[in-house]
């Protein structure tokens, strides 16, 4: 399987083309043996290539990546020397880990929480999401149960989504200031599927796209899996530099731009109105599809919730804007309900793409989502108050245990984008994983290799006592007598 998922086939082998599809474009463009080894090592650490999987033969991989056999031989030699693969004559080269190391992304496979090196349950700081609000799913299921038999009399294939849910989502957009009809809504299995469908419809391999930098790691996975050329729009602690963004759009004329203007992941920044207007105008001038991720738009902690970006466009001026969202952050990630809001014509085209891989979404999940969405405005304030308390607890723990780290307090969202002061993020994440804390290292969120090695994304979605323990363990790993090795010499790729 490709980006964002573990490669683990029936015979525990990964083919040369599969591995090449996982490698960053920068490595394929200039396949040096060190860069190739670093990329494969990071895929193993991130859990995207499973352990004890046979790698392709040297000659096969060399052909797949357009490199010499000597380059692949050198890469495999480096991986063997560092303990990330082992080879036996006649049986091939197999992935493994050096003693005491754990894949940074393996918690995603076994379930949230992670485990320490001694097998004890750990703390998951790699997922910026909360558990479901107490009682919400029980009440929603009780509401849905008597209504399900009526729906079950039909075949159950609803590729556009449950009609009542499409209407409810459209009505919510309208209440937020963006007039929307049900035929402008496609219900998906979460926002990630929504984004993957949009990319599949609008882009072809080799197309140029731009994203913010840093940005949501799984979105980068989807773009790389589609073999797109990715440019960047920088987001700093001060927010977006719109002059540079406009210049980048003008010079590159990308097919698609992906942005998170509402409590940006991972920085938490909120794009000002004036910059939203400039972004709308700039993408319209260049003929660029603007994909707006509203997954965390409702997590407004210190400011009023923002209106949809597309609502700022003049009449008829937002046809190039595609908005995606879900219930994962406001309710529960296990409820796989997301959506796309676009023109009615695009929704029809997206549904045709969706049917090719997924005939319909879960009708039961969508039925359960109906009362949750209807009750959102009433239930959300308590959720936000809980998050404010957890954000305060995380800040207090960081000040107590790691006073040398710094961050900007975000007005919303689910995490802090912490500056470590030195480029040791990946090394710290590996050491923390051995202690039972899984954490989003900065390089996972970077468009370019080697960036954000001085950053960690730390969510404040766990209870205060768990956050206190997690920060204590992170601080112990950071302040260990054994120096962390800065990772400035080797590139890191998004998990």
């Amino acid at each position: 399987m490709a980006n964002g998922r573990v490669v683990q086939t029936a015979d525990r082998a990964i083919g040369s083309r599969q591995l090449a599809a996982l490698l960053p474009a920068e490595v394929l463009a200039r396949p040096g043996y060190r860069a190739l080894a670093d990329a494969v090592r990071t895929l193993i650490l991130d859990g995207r290539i499973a352990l004890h999987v046979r790698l392709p033969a040297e000659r096969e991989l060399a052909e797949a990546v357009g490199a010499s056999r000597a380059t692949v031989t050198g890469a495999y030699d480096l991986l063997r020397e560092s303990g990330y693969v082992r080879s036996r004559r006649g049986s091939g080269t197999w992935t493994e880990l050096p003693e005491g190391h754990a894949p940074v992304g393996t918690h995603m496979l076994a379930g949230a929480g992670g485990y320490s090196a001694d097998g004890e349950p750990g703390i998951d700081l790699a997922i910026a999401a909360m558990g479901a609000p107490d009682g919400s799913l029980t009440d929603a299921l009780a509401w849905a149960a008597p209504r399900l038999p009526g729906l079950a009399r039909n075949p159950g294939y609803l590729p556009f989504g449950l009609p009542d849910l499409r209407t409810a989502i459209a009505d919510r957009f309208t209440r937020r200031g963006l007039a929307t009809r049900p035929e402008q809504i496609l219900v998906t299995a979460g926002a990630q599927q929504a984004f993957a469908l949009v990319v599949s419809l609008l882009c072809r391999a080799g197309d140029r796209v731009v994203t913010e930098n840093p940005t949501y790691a799984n979105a980068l996975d989807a773009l790389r899996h589609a073999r797109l050329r990715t440019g960047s729009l920088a987001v700093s602690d001060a927010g977006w530099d719109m002059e540079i963004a406009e210049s980048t759009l003008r010079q590159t004329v990308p097919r698609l731009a992906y942005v998170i203007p509402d409590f940006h992941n991972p920085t938490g920044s909120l794009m000002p109105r004036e910059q939203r207007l400039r972004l709308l105008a700039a993408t319209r001038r260049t003929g660029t599809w603007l994909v707006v991720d509203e997954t965390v738009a409702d997590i407004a902690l210190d400011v009023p919730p923002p209106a949809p970006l597309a609502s700022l466009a003049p009449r008829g001026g937002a046809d190039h804007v595609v908005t995606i969202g879900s219930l994962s952050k406001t309710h529960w990630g296990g409820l796989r309900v997301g959506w796309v809001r676009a023109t009615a014509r695009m929704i029809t085209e997206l549904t045709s793409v969706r049917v090719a891989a997924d005939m319909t979404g879960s009708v039961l999940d969508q039925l359960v989502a109906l009362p949750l969405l209807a009750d959102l405005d009433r239930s959300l304030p308590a959720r936000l108050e809980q998050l404010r308390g957890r954000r305060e607890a995380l800040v207090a723990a960081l000040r107590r245990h790691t006073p040398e780290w710094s961050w900007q307090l975000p007005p919303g969202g689910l995490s802090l984008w912490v500056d470590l002061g030195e480029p040791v993020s990946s090394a710290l994440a590996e050491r923390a994983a051995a202690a039972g804390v899984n954490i989003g290292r900065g390089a996972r969120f970077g468009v370019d290799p080697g960036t954000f090695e001085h950053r960690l994304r730390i969510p404040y979605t766990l209870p205060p006592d768990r956050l206190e323990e997690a920060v204590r363990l992170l601080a112990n790993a950071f302040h260990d007598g054994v120096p962390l090795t800065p990772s400035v010499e080797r590139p890191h790729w998004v998990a």
Side-chain angles (χ1 to χ4, degrees):
M1 287 184 286
N3 288 18
R5 292 174 289 177
V6 173
V7 174
Q8 187 173 3
T9 59
D11 61 354
R12 305 287 293 178
I14 175 174
S16 58
R17 291 184 179 180
Q18 284 180 293
L19 180 51
L22 289 168
L23 296 172
E26 295 85 355
V27 171
L28 297 175
R30 301 180 64 181
Y33 75 99
R34 289 188 181 275
L36 179 58
D38 287 334
V40 173
R41 177 167 53 238
T42 301
L43 291 170
I44 295 169
L45 283 171
D46 287 344
R48 290 163 58 200
I49 297 179
L51 299 180
H52 316 302
V53 166
R54 189 173 67 247
L55 294 177
E58 294 173 2
R59 187 184 302 279
E60 294 175 0
L61 184 58
E63 292 177 357
V65 302
S68 68
R69 183 172 179 179
T71 295
V72 177
T73 299
Y76 279 13
D77 285 344
L78 282 180
L79 290 167
R80 273 189 292 270
E81 291 170 7
S82 56
Y84 287 90
V85 302
R86 58 178 170 81
S87 298
R88 289 202 309 265
R89 186 178 298 277
S91 64
T93 300
W94 299 74
T95 59
E96 63 178 16
L97 285 176
E99 188 174 350
H101 287 237
V104 174
T106 50
H107 69 287
M108 295 292 288
L109 313 179
Y115 293 86
S116 64
D118 59 7
E120 291 298 315
I123 300 173
D124 192 354
L125 288 178
I127 297 178
M130 300 176 71
D134 290 344
S136 63
L137 291 178
T138 301
D139 293 343
L141 283 165
W143 182 92
R147 293 166 172 82
L148 183 61
L151 291 170
R153 296 189 186 100
N154 298 309
Y157 291 98
L158 301 169
F160 287 93
L162 190 67
D164 287 350
L165 184 57
R166 297 178 74 198
T167 298
I169 295 169
D171 288 348
R172 181 163 177 80
F173 271 111
T174 299
R175 290 196 303 274
R176 293 176 58 220
L178 179 60
T180 303
R181 304 184 308 277
E183 57 265 33
Q184 292 179 270
I185 299 295
L186 169 64
V187 180
T188 62
Q192 184 67 12
Q193 186 191 58
F195 182 60
L197 288 172
V198 170
V199 169
S200 179
L201 175 66
L202 298 180
C203 301
R204 296 293 178 266
D207 281 352
R208 186 177 295 278
V209 299
V210 295
T211 76
E212 295 147 327
N213 191 31
T215 192
Y216 179 49
N218 290 335
L220 285 172
D221 280 341
L223 296 175
R224 288 184 174 131
H225 177 58
R227 310 309 296 267
L228 303 174
R229 295 182 294 162
T230 308
S232 61
L233 309 173
V235 181
S236 68
D237 285 338
W240 292 258
D241 188 324
M242 197 51 61
E243 288 188 9
I244 294 179
E246 289 170 330
S247 176
T248 299
L249 289 166
R250 185 170 59 251
Q251 293 175 21
T252 62
V253 192
R255 175 70 174 167
L256 178 149
Y258 169 76
V259 297
I260 313 171
D262 307 314
F263 316 122
H264 173 262
N265 185 359
T267 69
S269 298
L270 179 64
M271 185 181 287
R273 175 187 172 89
E274 183 268 340
Q275 291 188 353
R276 294 169 184 249
L277 291 169
R278 291 173 65 177
L279 181 62
L280 279 167
T283 50
R284 190 163 185 83
R285 283 194 300 269
T286 57
T288 299
W289 290 101
L290 179 59
V291 181
V292 178
D293 188 337
E294 284 196 340
T295 307
V296 291
D298 286 312
I299 312 299
L301 301 180
D302 301 329
V303 294
L309 187 147
S311 68
L312 300 179
R315 185 175 180 83
D319 287 353
H320 69 299
V321 181
V322 180
T323 304
I324 61 178
S326 79
L327 291 178
S328 295
K329 306 304 184 183
T330 55
H331 287 85
W332 187 44
L335 190 69
R336 302 309 299 155
V337 174
W339 52 82
V340 182
R341 191 269 182 199
T343 64
R345 177 178 177 178
M346 176 173 284
I347 292 300
T348 299
E349 294 173 347
L350 283 170
T351 304
S352 297
V353 174
R354 187 251 184 92
V355 166
D358 180 16
M359 291 293 293
T360 187
S362 165
V363 175
L364 178 57
D365 280 20
Q366 294 178 61
L367 191 60
V368 170
L370 263 172
L372 296 177
L373 192 64
D375 195 46
L376 182 58
D377 291 334
R378 188 193 64 81
S379 63
L380 191 58
R383 188 80 151 170
L384 300 182
E385 188 60 31
Q386 185 181 45
L387 278 168
R388 292 186 192 99
R390 294 183 178 188
R391 183 183 61 177
E392 183 178 342
L394 175 58
V395 167
L398 289 170
R399 287 174 176 165
R400 184 161 46 251
H401 295 290
T402 55
E404 63 271 54
W405 295 358
S406 61
W407 58 87
Q408 295 286 330
L409 194 69
L414 296 162
S415 57
L416 299 182
W417 186 231
V418 175
D419 190 334
L420 305 176
E422 51 184 308
V424 295
S425 174
S426 291
L428 177 58
E430 290 182 36
R431 187 178 291 180
V437 177
N438 292 291
I439 188 77
R441 59 194 178 91
R444 293 185 64 212
F445 304 90
V447 173
D448 303 308
T451 56
F452 304 113
E453 268 297 312
H454 61 302
R455 294 280 190 172
L456 283 179
R457 189 192 71 168
I458 308 182
Y460 38 82
T461 51
L462 296 178
D465 61 329
R466 298 291 279 169
L467 290 172
E468 170 71 24
E469 177 66 6
V471 173
R472 185 186 68 79
L473 291 171
L474 282 172
N476 288 346
F478 186 76
H479 296 132
D480 192 328
V482 180
L484 290 161
T485 303
S487 302
V488 294
E489 293 185 0
R490 72 180 182 92
H492 293 273
W493 318 110
V494 171

